[in-house]
Amino acid sequence: MEYHGLLPGWTALVLGVTILVIWLFYSQNNKKPYATIPVLSADRNEYLQNGRALLEHGKKFRSCFQVQTGTNFKIVVPNRFAAELKNHPDLSFNDAHARDSFTSYPGLQPFREILENDTFIQEVVRKKLTQSLGLITTALFEETQLTYRDIFGESKEWQTHVIKSDVQDIIARLSSRVFLGLELCRNPDWLDITKNYTYSSFEAISELRSQHALARPIIHWFSKNCTQARHYYKRAQVLIQPVVDRRKAQMQASSSESEGSSKASDAIGWMVECARGRKIDYAAAQLSFSLAAIHLSSETMTMCLLQLCDMPELIEPLREDCRRVLDDSGWTKQALQDMRLLDSFMRECQRVRDLLATSMLRFARAPLTLSDGTVIPKGSTLMVMNDWAHSSEHFPNAETFDMRRFAKLRERPGEQNQHQFSTPSADQMGFGFGSHACPGRFFASNEIKIALCILLLEYDFEYVPGDDRPQDIKHEIVRLADPSARMRIRKREGNS
């Protein structure tokens, strides 16, 4: 009797709590437009299907406007305000990306690791990876040659390859040589994990953005992409943790033997050195490095190869640039810096075939006022247009691909160290802009240069005759290379 008497009360309590949770969740994820900013579109599907084209219509506004995205309304800020916002203390990089990348969901821990342990990741990349670029150049050169031999072979007969898939395999191996060393860089399990986690995690995030906020906590358990992300993350933990444990033991043994001068030469060792007692998810951290390398570097290199197949007349001048520098300096960090034409070509590819239509995604922790008087409300999310890259006001004949564009700009007095592929600027925000510009951009630049240089010198390549010209994939504000694009390739006659 007492049990039956209590049941309705418990039922009512559970029902009430459920309604409260749904209401709170709904109210937090279904915000209305910001009152003071004009609305370009309140249709999230319009943004999800082709946000790049949608944002072009926003240029009719004199200043900021807002659009409904997959997660919330976002304020779109014109490119001219990038410089005044790039290091603003009231704008949070971490809060904005945590909301958009669903970092609390299982399987997406690498995205959370980037944000929650951002000072750790920055230290590993800036103090260890970037300062070691001179030491790892030879390793990248050797690994590239071995990787090309495995993927493209030595045949002087034409063979057909899918460009993007092969480039992802190449970048996965080169990055793993630096991030994991020889112990795992050619391990088939790790290469499978690092490549497929990158794909499945970005697809999972994109899928979650397309779902209603109330459905996401349930859908992610049944989503194929989310399930695969969890699967690959768990596999990464199984592979990485024993390596970390061995590395810690080696460092402790070296320390006890007064051999403190021995230094780590890969990212696992760097992470162990930089952890200093902090609780670090090493598998998530390693995957976070792979996310940046495979997603950004492989897309960039693929776009470069597509451009060379579109304009084969560019190939021989680039070969000559590479030969000239290597004959003078060999495979050194300085040689890579001296490849000015190749660097200019890469930056022009990044300008013309930009990955993102916007940059500087930020969350406003306090109200802020732009120089034109526009007030960005507290609690809003903003992103800055990246359209100066396509403007003839900033780049003469912007619609024309000019391989020498940035090399010529560097010839102007006082600008020899500007306009480089790895240099963020308000008119070229492929690596972001300001204090949160991609810290791994110098490594990415060297990695891509080595991969392109060796390919140019040792192989001939072109589109497969008869294939249709590849079409970029555009979704939300992203441009991705056509995953079905093919080229044929053969080993060149004689020496490179």
Side-chain angles (χ1 to χ4, degrees):
M1 292 293 293
E2 292 180 359
Y3 174 80
H4 290 293
L6 288 172
L7 185 59
W10 282 109
T11 302
L13 179 60
V14 170
L15 181 60
V17 170
T18 301
I19 293 173
L20 177 62
V21 169
I22 291 175
W23 178 81
L24 288 172
F25 197 88
Y26 185 82
S27 63
Q28 290 177 359
N29 290 276
N30 212 41
K31 293 181 177 179
K32 296 179 180 179
Y34 307 104
T36 58
I37 308 292
V39 178
L40 173 64
S41 172
D43 182 357
R44 65 199 301 268
N45 290 322
E46 194 174 6
Y47 176 86
L48 291 170
Q49 290 166 10
N50 194 352
R52 296 180 72 97
L54 174 64
L55 296 191
E56 284 297 308
H57 297 303
K59 293 180 180 179
K60 65 184 180 183
F61 298 107
R62 297 181 61 182
S63 187
C64 303
F65 59 93
Q66 58 183 312
V67 294
Q68 172 72 291
T69 71
T71 50
N72 58 358
F73 275 94
K74 287 185 173 65
I75 297 173
V76 182
V77 179
N79 206 151
R80 66 180 183 273
F81 296 107
E84 65 184 82
L85 294 179
K86 65 177 184 177
N87 295 323
H88 199 289
D90 293 326
L91 293 177
S92 171
F93 173 95
N94 290 10
D95 289 348
H97 284 271
R99 286 168 167 79
D100 254 32
S101 299
F102 309 104
T103 58
S104 63
Y105 283 49
L108 299 179
Q109 287 90 334
F111 294 86
R112 185 167 69 237
E113 191 71 22
I114 295 172
L115 301 175
E116 291 187 354
N117 282 310
D118 59 331
T119 56
F120 168 73
I121 297 294
Q122 297 268 353
E123 183 179 358
V124 172
V125 175
R126 287 198 170 119
K127 292 187 177 180
K128 298 294 184 178
L129 175 60
T130 300
Q131 293 179 14
S132 300
L133 291 180
L135 301 175
I136 63 178
T137 300
T138 300
L140 284 173
F141 164 67
E142 293 173 350
E143 197 63 38
T144 302
Q145 288 196 311
L146 290 170
T147 302
Y148 284 176
R149 192 178 306 158
D150 290 343
I151 293 177
F152 298 134
E154 302 285 312
S155 175
K156 293 180 173 58
E157 300 296 324
W158 288 114
Q159 298 185 47
T160 299
H161 288 262
V162 178
I163 302 175
K164 188 168 182 175
S165 178
D166 282 349
V167 169
Q168 288 173 337
D169 289 335
I170 292 163
I171 296 299
R173 272 197 48 178
L174 300 190
S175 301
S176 296
R177 174 68 182 264
V178 174
F179 298 155
L180 291 169
L182 288 170
E183 187 171 359
L184 282 178
C185 76
R186 297 167 200 159
N187 182 303
D189 286 341
W190 173 253
L191 294 175
D192 178 63
I193 290 168
T194 190
K195 177 180 176 180
N196 287 298
Y197 179 80
T198 299
Y199 174 80
S200 61
S201 62
F202 278 109
E203 286 296 304
I205 290 171
S206 180
E207 181 182 353
L208 289 171
R209 286 176 185 160
S210 71
Q211 301 295 330
H212 193 283
L214 286 173
R216 290 174 194 144
I218 299 173
I219 285 177
H220 83 93
W221 291 114
F222 304 98
S223 158
K224 177 182 177 181
N225 291 310
C226 294
T227 300
Q228 287 183 333
R230 292 191 293 270
H231 167 71
Y232 289 118
Y233 169 65
K234 290 177 182 177
R235 284 179 59 190
Q237 287 180 305
V238 171
L239 270 179
I240 295 297
Q241 195 56 50
V243 180
V244 172
D245 293 340
R246 285 196 296 273
R247 195 64 55 85
K248 286 181 176 179
Q250 291 169 0
M251 293 179 67
Q252 289 174 355
S254 296
S255 177
S256 64
E257 296 171 9
S258 301
E259 296 178 2
S261 59
S262 65
K263 294 184 178 180
S265 58
D266 58 53
I268 285 187
W270 297 332
M271 287 192 295
V272 172
E273 288 177 354
C274 293
R276 292 190 297 275
R278 284 179 284 190
K279 184 178 180 181
I280 302 298
D281 184 337
Y282 288 96
Q286 276 290 339
L287 286 175
S288 73
F289 295 144
S290 299
L291 285 170
I294 294 178
H295 182 60
L296 181 59
S297 296
S298 66
E299 283 295 333
T300 301
M301 183 174 170
T302 300
M303 292 295 191
C304 287
L305 292 179
L306 292 174
Q307 192 68 43
L308 291 173
C309 289
D310 284 340
M311 302 177 69
E313 67 273 15
L314 304 181
I315 292 177
E316 196 54 42
L318 288 171
R319 280 179 178 149
E320 289 300 320
D321 181 55
C322 293
R323 285 195 196 100
R324 174 186 57 80
V325 172
L326 292 175
D327 286 346
D328 290 343
S329 306
W331 283 103
T332 63
K333 177 184 174 183
Q334 185 60 49
L336 297 177
Q337 293 175 346
D338 291 341
M339 293 178 183
R340 291 197 172 195
L341 185 59
L342 182 59
D343 189 274
S344 178
F345 165 76
M346 289 162 54
R347 188 169 175 89
E348 181 73 345
C349 282
Q350 189 184 56
R351 182 189 73 82
V352 173
R353 311 177 86 131
D354 54 340
L355 180 62
L356 297 171
T358 68
S359 185
M360 297 175 62
L361 182 69
R362 302 289 187 269
F363 178 80
R365 291 177 169 172
L368 58 110
T369 304
L370 301 180
S371 55
D372 70 346
T374 301
V375 177
I376 304 296
K378 177 182 178 180
S380 61
T381 304
L382 63 83
M383 51 188 179
V384 179
M385 286 287 287
N386 190 27
D387 58 336
W388 275 5
H390 306 288
S391 167
S392 290
E393 294 181 16
H394 296 86
F395 297 104
N397 302 313
E399 70 284 354
T400 301
F401 187 95
D402 181 0
M403 173 175 69
R404 302 179 186 275
R405 183 187 301 275
F406 295 102
K408 289 183 286 189
L409 288 175
R410 293 179 66 184
E411 292 173 357
R412 300 194 303 203
E415 298 186 24
Q416 61 269 23
N417 294 322
Q418 299 178 30
H419 315 293
Q420 298 182 61
F421 176 70
S422 58
T423 306
S425 59
D427 56 13
Q428 188 107 349
M429 298 191 288
F431 286 114
F433 191 41
S435 59
H436 285 285
C438 175
R441 62 189 183 275
F442 303 104
F443 169 70
S445 176
N446 286 9
E447 180 181 50
I448 296 169
K449 279 183 183 177
I450 290 171
L452 285 174
C453 186
I454 295 176
L455 192 68
L456 285 163
L457 294 177
E458 298 191 4
Y459 291 88
D460 291 319
F461 54 92
E462 62 184 24
Y463 282 138
V464 175
D467 278 7
D468 293 334
R469 183 168 177 167
Q471 298 297 313
D472 294 339
I473 306 300
K474 296 178 181 178
H475 176 71
E476 297 186 53
I477 56 168
V478 180
R479 181 206 308 268
L480 298 173
D482 185 343
S484 65
R486 302 189 304 166
M487 68 177 180
R488 62 178 191 170
I489 189 168
R490 66 184 179 190
K491 187 77 172 178
R492 301 189 71 214
E493 294 287 348
N495 296 324
S496 60

